[in-house]
Amino acid sequence: MSQKTSNEMWGGRFASGPDAIMEEINASIDFDKRLYREDIAGSKAHAEMLGAQGIIAAEDAALIVDGLAKIEAEIEAGTFTFSRRLEDIHMNIEQRLAELIGPAAGRLHTARSRNDQVALDFRMHVRAAFQALEAKLGEFIAALLDKAEAHAETVMPGFTHLQVAQPVTYGHHCLAYVEMAARDRSRCRDALKRLDENPLGAAALAGTGFAIDRHRTAAALGFSTPTRNSLDTVSDHDFALEFLSVAAICATHLSRLAEEIVIWSTPQFGFVRLSDAFSTGSSIMPQKRNPDAAELVRAKPGRINGALVSLLTVMKGLPLTYSKDMQEDKEQVFDAIDSLALALAAATGMIRDLTVNVEAMRKAAGHGFSTATDLADYLVREAGLPFREAHHVTGRAVSLAESSGVGLEDLPLDVLKSLDSRIDASVYGVLGVDASVRSRRSFGGTAPDNVREQVSYWRQRLATEGK
Ligand code: ARG
C-alpha cells in the first residue's frame, strides 16, 4: 500500500472532524437495528402501561401504539431509513414516531431511559436465542437417535488416545452426543429461568418517581416478575455472558463431532461418507471429497469462544451502573447466535446425511487386539484369576499374537492353554467383537440392547419435554 493511500485512510476520516469521529465510534444502529422487534414490543407495553396508570393520556398511548405498529411494518417492508446520526435503534424509532404522530411521541419516554430499554431489548433477544437453540438441539438429538437406532448393532472401534481400545457400537457412540446435547438443552432452560425478569422500569439507574406498574409490563412482555434492583438491572448483562458460555460449550461439542466426521471420512478410515450435499470437490484434484461443512463446524468455537472472552473482558472492572462499554456486547452475541445456529444446522444435516460403512467399522473394531480386555475378563470369570494376573496373562497372549501377525481369536487353543491351562474352547466365544459388545450390558454400557433401551428412553424424554 502506498504512503498516500494509507494517509488517506487515516487522514481522510479525521479530516471530516470530531463530529464524524464521534458518530463513527458512538453509533450502534448498524448492528442494533436487529433489535427493532423487541424495541417496539417494549415500547408498546410501556405506553399501554403509562396509559393504564394515568401517567399519560389514554389517547396518547393509543396514538403511540398505532405509530409503533406502522414503524414495525416499515422496517419489515424495508422502507424505513436508519440514520447513524440518531445513534441507535431506540432513537431511530422514537424520531420516526415523532414524524408519524407528532408531539404525543415525546410522552413515550416518560419514566424510562435507554438504559432499561436496551437491557430489555437485549434480554428479549437473548431469550429468543435460547429458545431457538433449545428447539434446534431437540432436532439434533432426534437425528442422533435415528442413527443410534439404525446402528444399535454396528460394531466399531472405541478409542482412547485415538488408539483402538475396545469394540463399541456406533449407536452407543451417537448416544454419547445425545447426552452432551441434552445437557446443552438443559443449560438453556436453566438460563431461561434466571433471565425471566423484566428490566423495564429500572429507568436510568434508580427507578422512577412515576407510579409505573412493572408487573403489568412484565406480563405483557412474557416475564414472570420485574427485576428487584434497578442498579443491577442496568449494569449487568450476565444473561448475555450465560448465552455465550452455553454457546461455547455447545459449539465445543459440535466441534468434536465434526472432527470425527473429518477423520472418519478420510479414505484411511472410511467409516462414513457424506453425500455431495455436504462435501466439496477440489478445483485441481478430481479425486478429492472434502468435508468442508464439518471443518467449518469444527472451527466455529474460534468465533464463539472469542465472543465469550471478549464480553467477559469488556465487563470486567466496570463500575456500576451503565457505561457505554456495554454497547460492545451486541455484535459479539449476535455473531455467536448466528454462528451457533449455522453450526447446529450443519451438524444435524450431516448426521442425517452420512452413510455408515458398517464393514469398515467392523473390520477396524477387530484391529489392535481390541478384545484383550474380554480375554482378561474371561480369565477372571472362568478361571478365577485376580484381574491383575489376568491382565498379565492377556498381555502375553497379545504379544504372541502380535509376533505371529494374527488376531487374538486366531491363536490356536494349545497356544492359549500354554498360557493358562484353565483356558478352554469357550474362550473363542469372547474374543470376537460382537460377543464383546453384547457382553457390555452394565448400565450405560455399549451393548446393542442398552442402545435400544436408551433410544426409547430419550425419545420419551424428548416427547415429554417438548422439542
Ligand atoms: N446504544 C446503547 C447501548 O447499546 C443504548 C443505551 C445508551 N444509554 C446511554 N446512557 N447512553 O448500550
Side-chain angles (χ1 to χ4, degrees), residues 147-420:
K147 268 283 182 294
E149 184 174 48
H151 292 282
E153 313 235 358
T154 301
V155 179
M156 63 169 274
F159 300 93
T160 61
H161 312 271
L162 199 54
Q163 307 282 328
V164 173
Q166 293 177 347
V168 296
T169 51
Y170 178 55
H172 194 52
H173 194 90
C174 290
L175 287 170
Y177 285 103
V178 167
E179 297 286 335
M180 294 178 228
R183 286 193 298 274
D184 291 336
R185 279 188 108 201
S186 76
R187 270 184 275 276
C188 291
R189 278 190 224 109
D190 292 346
L192 280 167
K193 277 183 226 145
R194 276 184 292 281
L195 186 150
D196 187 20
E197 293 178 343
N198 172 26
L200 199 60
L205 76 163
T208 174
F210 290 100
I212 58 172
D213 182 351
R214 297 189 63 206
H215 292 276
R216 184 187 174 110
T217 47
L221 297 166
F223 293 103
S224 302
T225 174
T227 54
R228 276 178 306 274
N229 183 296
S230 61
L231 302 176
D232 170 55
T233 303
V234 297
S235 301
D236 205 319
H237 289 185
D238 61 5
F239 56 85
L241 288 172
E242 283 203 72
F243 179 80
L244 293 176
S245 312
V246 171
I249 295 171
C250 179
T252 300
H253 290 152
L254 299 180
S255 180
R256 297 182 74 169
L257 174 81
E259 166 67 349
E260 290 185 337
I261 293 175
V262 171
I263 299 177
W264 292 3
S265 62
T266 57
Q268 289 82 353
F269 267 77
F271 284 5
V272 297
R273 184 183 166 90
L274 288 173
S275 77
D276 290 350
F278 284 102
S279 348
T280 59
S282 155
S283 54
I284 178 167
M285 297 163 283
Q287 83 285 9
K288 298 225 26 211
R289 287 174 73 77
N290 297 327
D292 293 35
E295 291 169 298
L296 289 162
V297 172
R298 183 173 63 181
K300 290 298 179 201
R303 304 165 77 115
I304 296 172
N305 297 353
L308 172 61
V309 172
S310 167
L311 187 53
L312 285 167
T313 311
V314 166
M315 297 304 293
K316 75 169 276 301
L318 279 188
L320 304 190
T321 56
Y322 178 86
S323 296
K324 198 60 175 263
D325 309 52
M326 290 166 67
Q327 181 168 285
E328 292 281 317
D329 54 9
K330 291 174 203 64
E331 284 163 292
Q332 303 294 340
V333 171
F334 294 161
D335 186 71
I337 292 173
D338 296 343
S339 301
L340 186 59
L342 195 52
L344 194 49
T348 307
M350 284 190 289
I351 287 296
R352 291 229 175 265
D353 177 85
L354 61 80
T355 46
V356 176
N357 186 337
V358 174
E359 265 321 298
M361 279 190 174
R362 150 179 296 278
K363 215 167 140 214
H367 288 164
F369 314 106
S370 65
T371 54
T373 318
D374 297 276
L375 175 56
D377 290 349
Y378 169 89
L379 291 167
V380 169
R381 227 174 22 242
E382 307 296 328
L385 262 61
F387 182 77
R388 278 291 159 225
E389 200 183 324
H391 184 276
H392 185 73
V393 173
T394 305
R396 292 192 358 246
V398 167
S399 51
L400 280 176
E402 198 166 26
S403 56
S404 346
V406 298
L408 281 176
E409 66 281 20
D410 306 317
L411 289 173
L413 187 57
D414 56 321
V415 172
L416 288 167
K417 265 190 176 310
S418 72
L419 297 172
D420 191 296

Side-chain angles (χ1 to χ4, degrees), residues 152-154 169 434 437-438 440 446-453:
E153 313 235 358
T154 301
T169 51
D434 293 289
V437 296
R438 266 201 309 275
R440 290 196 154 56
T446 195
D449 285 346
N450 285 18
V451 171
R452 284 184 277 263
E453 270 164 36

Side-chain angles (χ1 to χ4, degrees), residues 26 28 32 87-88 90 113-115 118 237 322-324 326-327 329-330:
N26 205 31
S28 54
D32 69 16
E87 215 181 302
D88 56 26
H90 323 297
S113 151
R114 274 190 297 157
N115 295 349
V118 73
H237 289 185
Y322 178 86
S323 296
K324 198 60 175 263
M326 290 166 67
Q327 181 168 285
D329 54 9
K330 291 174 203 64

